[in-house]
Structure formats: C-alpha cells, structure tokens
Amino acid sequence: MKRKLAAGAVLSATALLTGVIQVSTAAQATPTPTVQAQAAQHRAGLIALANGQAGPLTGALGLGGQEALVAKDAVVDADGTRHLRFERTYAGLPVLGGDLVVHQAADGAVKAVDRAVAAQITVPSLTPKIPADQAAAQASGAVRSTVGIAADKDESPLTEVRRSGAAQLVVWAADGSPRLAYRTTVEGVRADGTPSSRLLVTDAATGRVLSGHEQVQTASGTGTGVFVGTVPLTTTQSGSSYQLKDASRGGQSTSDLKGRTSGSGTLLTDTDNAWGDGTAANRQSAAVDAQFGAAATWDYYKNTFGRNGIKNNGVGATSRVHYGRNYVNAFWNDSCFCMTYGDGTNNTNPLTALDVAGHEMTHGVTSATAGLNYSGESGGLNEATSDIFGTMVEWSANLPADKPDYLIGEEIDINGDGTPLRYMDKPSKDGGSADYWSSSVGGLDVHYSSGVGNHFFYLLAEGSGARTINGVAYDSPTSNGSTVTGIGRDKAAAIWYRALTVYFTSTTTYKTARAGTLSAAADLYGAGSAEYSAVAAAWSGVNVN
C-alpha cells in the first residue's frame, strides 16, 4: 500500500537524497506538545461526557439494577448529535457482548440505541463452580490440544504453549444467554514463528469453551524487497544522528528485532538521514517500508476522518522489522500496539508491503471502535474492514512503485504465481472467498467470509460489470443480476467508517451491517439520496436483504 502527504506538504527530493529532510509547509511541521495535549484533552472530554451520561442512561434504557455502563468511545457530530459507545458491567464484572451505542440529540434526548444483545442481562448465580486456577488450566489445556493444528487456514499450527494468564471472572452474553464465565489469555508460538495470544472464554459452571479467538492477527506472504520506492520520511534528530521516529505522528517509530521474536527491538538510527538502498541486504530498507506504512495509515485516517492515530488518542504505533529467522509473515498485536514484519524466505524477502501495513493496523482501529468479534459473520466484517481501509490507504498514497487497485496482497505474491491474495470485485476468484451472503457464510474462515463485505464495498465504490480501473481489469457480478452504479471509493469509505465507529457493535452481522451502513449513508448524505439508494442496491447485490 501507499502513502499520500497532506495537501500542500512537499518534501525536497534533493534534500532527501543528501540526507536532510525538510518540510516546505507548516502542514507537515511537528505539532507542539500543546497541540497534541489539546487533542488528547478533547478526547478525554468526550469520554467524560459519555461517562457522565452512563448513570441516567442505565435507567432510561431499562437495564437491571446490577448493570452499569462504562464509556469506551464518543463521537459528536457538527450539529451536536452524540454517539456514545459503552461497555456494560454486571455486578461489577465485564459483560462480553454487552456493548451498545446510544445516539442522542444535542439536548441529550435518546434517538436510538444499537446493542450487541437486546435483552436485560440477568445471571442466575455469581458464584463460579470452577475456581479460577482450574479455569486457567482448562483454557491452557484446550489450547494445548490444538498443537499441530492450525486454527485458521492462513495460520500455521501451534508448536508451543508457553503460559497462561490469570483467569478473569466475566459475564458471557454474546450468544444471548448470559452466564458466568472466565476469560483467560493463553500464549504460545506457531510453527512459522508467529506468536500466539489466544483469548478463551470458558463457562464458569462446566469449563466448556464458549469462545476462542486469536488476538495476533496475521497476513501471510512472501516479500520481494522494498515496495515503496524512494519516499519521504519524517525523522528525529538526536545529537549528531537521526532516529527513525516520527514526532509529528504520535512518536511512532521503527525498531530492529535483529532476528529475535520478543522484546521491543532497537530503535533504528542513521548518521546522514538517508535510509536504506532499496535492497533486502540493507537492514534499513525494510525499516523504510515499515515506517512509511505506519505514516501512510496515520495520514489516511487523520486527513480523511480526523482520527488522531489508531486509538484516536494521538499515540503512534511501533513497527518492528527483522522478526525471527526466515519468517514468512507479518502481524498486528493490540497488546503491544505494534506492527511486526518477518524477513521472508531465506531472510531476503521482507514482508513490508504497504497493503499489509494498512490492513493490519486497521485491526487496531476496529478494536478501538466496534470491537467486532473475530469469529462468525462479525469476524468476516472485521477482516473486510481491514481490506477496505488497507485498500483506501493504497489509493490515498498513490505511489508509482505500487499503483493502487482493488486487489489485496498483490505485491507480496503469496501464491508464487503473481496472483493476489484476495479480489474485491469477485472474491471467489481466490478459490475460497464468498461472493454473496448465505446462511453458511458465518461458518467460513473469517478471511473467506470477508468476501461478502469486500464485494459490497467494491460494488458501492465502482459498480457492477466489466471495467478497467487504473490499468487493472475488473468484472463484478451481482447475486440478483442487478446493475449497481458506484458512488466512488471516498464516499463508500466514509459510509463504512461512520458505520464502524457509530453503529457497529461486537456482534454485528451482515444483516445488521446493512442497517448500520444505511444509517451512516442517511447521516452523511440524506435518507433520500443517491448514496443511500446505492448502499441498499450494493447490499442486495451480495444477497444481504
């Protein structure tokens, strides 16, 4: 994927080649700490606003006496309309699947509520039949039983389960039958070196696994060297050398793991501020791609939606390069707030393509907003969201070295024959993804069920039928034989982002995603607009009615 500078920001190519990078306009100047502090203070104020409404809303929404709301996020429209996102607790315990979004008029009147589960929560007993240490041991045993078996089709099998965290008592409500449960994190390592951090929810009465999901979300492939070509970088001078650290984007930085599989690595430095030479043999080259990918993702969300970093808190992520040995993978991990890249086959093919960066870092955005569960239809929507915005980062950057398209992973050549990992115009061309919704979609691997969301987005952006875009030929069909007219990728992305941040919850399905994106289209363009009608037509085109 690619990165585009803010309008008016131009970096001197001559200065770049000689090692002195200068920003020609104030648009790219390093924000002062006061500006960053103001942004953080503004968000804190919105969260405080939401928490201030939590008590009154608990009663107004008809929640039970042992239920409470805890603010997670807040969005306030220009007209004062508020969209307050809450997690729910029951008797002080976190409720998994109890999240909701309250939509208020400017005067505080509740207009609508989107809930992950609709019913008032009641739990028969708050006394677990299984002690916490036994629950942790059972969770670890459940993961150990999968050693040698891949959880998802694009993941390698577990070879080691290292340890289990303490089991936390929670209320499980995601399936509509609230019960007391334990939440346990079990860590391990996969055969290809990928770290594993599986979050398991087990019934506190029986020990049965209710849910399990891998928190380290990966994108597999083989690299072909430097992907972005010669690009501008914002760095930090420290004494007589420079650090690969960007103060203008929340301090995000890139470090060298030097073949290790743990730790934060060593921050990359350079004496002349001219980084890498475009070859994998130069350890800085992969770091250039990684740092640029992080900047591209930051800039897209900032310039398009005003989002101040992945968590919207002004904090930049860390990128780690040269992970492990012969590691043919890359992954985002929310727990370390970091993006990690292997060096590929023979340590000569770093997986630092921009679409990998945009896709994986978007998992962080989803985690900070809707929190879409990584299984079933919500898991497909989670993956589709990353494909959608990874693609938008690519179009925003518009680099000559990697022309933007609606192909996923086209640069990393995961199949070894030049074909992409996924296709948005007709997802089934990859041999496994779903073009249209059916009742069996939720049972697919999330990377294949995402095809429905990817296809919807392509139809909404570009329309159905055959066409050539930016030199790539596409031919997108519809399930009902209808003709869909696209509204353009920018409007399509705006609708999806608003739905993600304002209407989607952890248990959103394709049916409720249709409702959420229609609400988003009505908010942005009007309920009688062509954009609203296009959203409905595109969903019908993928059999979501």
Side-chain angles (χ1 to χ4, degrees):
M1 278 123 224
K2 306 88 186 168
R3 165 176 172 257
K4 184 178 183 181
L5 292 171
V10 180
L11 298 186
S12 166
T14 303
L16 175 63
L17 292 174
T18 58
V20 181
I21 298 181
Q22 297 179 334
V23 180
S24 63
T25 73
Q28 286 292 104
T30 300
T32 65
T34 300
V35 173
Q36 293 179 347
Q38 287 176 341
Q41 187 177 28
H42 175 69
R43 183 172 187 275
L46 293 179
I47 297 297
L49 167 69
N51 274 322
Q53 293 290 309
L57 285 171
T58 299
L61 297 177
L63 303 186
Q66 297 196 77
E67 297 182 73
L69 298 175
V70 180
K72 177 182 179 181
D73 199 9
V75 175
V76 179
D77 297 340
D79 65 358
T81 300
R82 307 165 184 171
H83 310 277
L84 310 180
R85 183 178 295 275
F86 295 96
E87 302 285 3
R88 202 183 320 190
T89 64
Y90 181 89
L93 300 177
V95 177
L96 308 185
D99 53 299
L100 52 87
V101 184
V102 178
H103 309 281
Q104 292 180 323
D107 61 3
V110 176
K111 299 167 63 177
V113 181
D114 286 300
R115 308 175 190 240
V117 290
Q120 185 181 94
I121 292 175
T122 56
V123 178
S125 173
L126 290 173
T127 303
K129 294 183 179 180
I130 296 173
D133 56 351
Q134 182 181 337
Q138 287 180 313
S140 297
V143 175
R144 286 191 180 93
S145 69
T146 66
V147 169
I149 302 172
D152 292 314
K153 293 181 180 179
D154 72 336
E155 293 178 343
S156 64
L158 279 169
T159 58
E160 175 188 344
V161 177
R162 289 192 300 237
R163 63 181 183 273
S164 170
Q168 178 191 18
L169 204 59
V170 298
V171 172
W172 170 254
D175 61 1
S177 300
R179 73 202 83 168
L180 199 63
Y182 284 106
R183 177 170 56 186
T184 309
T185 299
V186 181
E187 299 182 353
V189 179
R190 298 192 176 279
D192 64 357
T194 303
S196 172
S197 179
R198 295 196 65 80
L199 185 66
L200 274 76
V201 180
T202 54
D203 194 305
T206 66
R208 183 171 68 89
V209 175
L210 301 173
S211 174
H213 118 225
E214 177 60 67
Q215 298 181 93
V216 179
Q217 295 157 335
T218 65
S220 301
T222 58
T224 57
V226 175
F227 295 94
V228 298
T230 301
V231 292
L233 294 172
T234 303
T235 60
T236 299
Q237 187 169 2
S238 177
S240 59
S241 66
Y242 298 86
Q243 300 172 336
L244 204 52
K245 185 175 183 179
D246 186 348
S248 70
R249 297 180 178 88
Q252 61 189 22
S253 61
T254 299
S255 62
D256 186 348
L257 281 172
K258 300 180 179 179
R260 294 190 298 272
T261 57
S262 62
S264 57
T266 303
L267 179 64
L268 280 108
T269 60
D270 186 79
T271 57
D272 64 3
N273 212 17
W275 304 79
D277 61 6
T279 68
N282 185 311
R283 298 186 71 81
Q284 291 184 355
S285 297
V288 169
D289 282 341
Q291 185 74 357
F292 190 85
T297 305
W298 177 287
D299 286 357
Y300 173 72
Y301 280 108
K302 178 73 171 180
N303 297 339
T304 308
F305 305 117
R307 187 173 189 84
N308 194 28
I310 289 174
K311 288 188 176 180
N312 201 24
N313 61 357
V315 177
T318 298
S319 296
R320 307 185 302 174
V321 294
H322 306 305
Y323 172 92
R325 302 290 182 184
N326 301 310
Y327 181 63
V328 189
N329 219 326
F331 57 90
W332 167 266
N333 193 337
D334 234 20
S335 64
C336 67
F337 202 60
C338 64
M339 182 67 201
T340 305
Y341 302 90
D343 283 329
T345 306
N346 299 320
N347 292 318
T348 58
N349 297 284
L351 279 88
T352 48
L354 276 172
D355 56 356
V356 175
H359 172 105
E360 296 298 336
M361 292 183 188
T362 294
H363 280 306
V365 175
T366 298
S367 175
T369 55
L372 290 161
N373 291 336
Y374 205 65
S375 61
E377 291 189 22
S378 61
L381 285 161
N382 190 316
E383 275 295 311
T385 297
S386 283
D387 281 350
I388 287 166
F389 289 118
T391 294
M392 290 306 298
V393 168
E394 184 170 295
W395 280 99
S396 176
N398 196 24
L399 291 181
D402 184 6
K403 292 183 179 179
D405 49 46
Y406 290 97
L407 308 174
I408 308 301
E410 74 281 0
E411 293 292 326
I412 59 178
D413 191 21
I414 192 172
N415 300 317
D417 57 6
T419 58
L421 177 61
R422 289 187 287 276
Y423 304 78
M424 299 188 83
D425 65 319
K426 188 177 181 182
S428 62
K429 287 194 289 186
D430 67 11
S433 290
D435 289 334
Y436 314 118
W437 182 88
S438 70
S439 59
S440 63
V441 158
L444 296 177
D445 178 276
V446 294
H447 299 88
Y448 292 154
S449 59
S450 63
V452 179
N454 283 346
H455 195 189
F456 160 78
F457 182 80
Y458 177 87
L459 288 171
L460 182 60
E462 301 292 348
S464 58
R467 67 197 66 224
T468 298
I469 305 169
N470 212 21
V472 178
Y474 304 95
D475 193 356
S476 191
T478 57
S479 63
N480 54 6
S482 63
T483 298
V484 176
T485 301
I487 61 174
R489 69 186 70 90
D490 290 339
K491 287 184 176 180
I495 289 168
W496 193 274
Y497 180 81
R498 182 163 177 85
L500 177 74
T501 56
V502 170
Y503 295 107
F504 290 179
T505 68
S506 60
T507 61
T508 292
T509 63
Y510 277 114
K511 180 180 178 180
T512 50
R514 176 186 171 112
T517 51
L518 284 170
S519 294
D523 292 344
L524 296 173
Y525 305 108
S529 65
E531 291 82 0
Y532 184 95
S533 297
V535 170
W539 279 123
S540 296
V542 296
N543 198 35
V544 179
N545 297 301

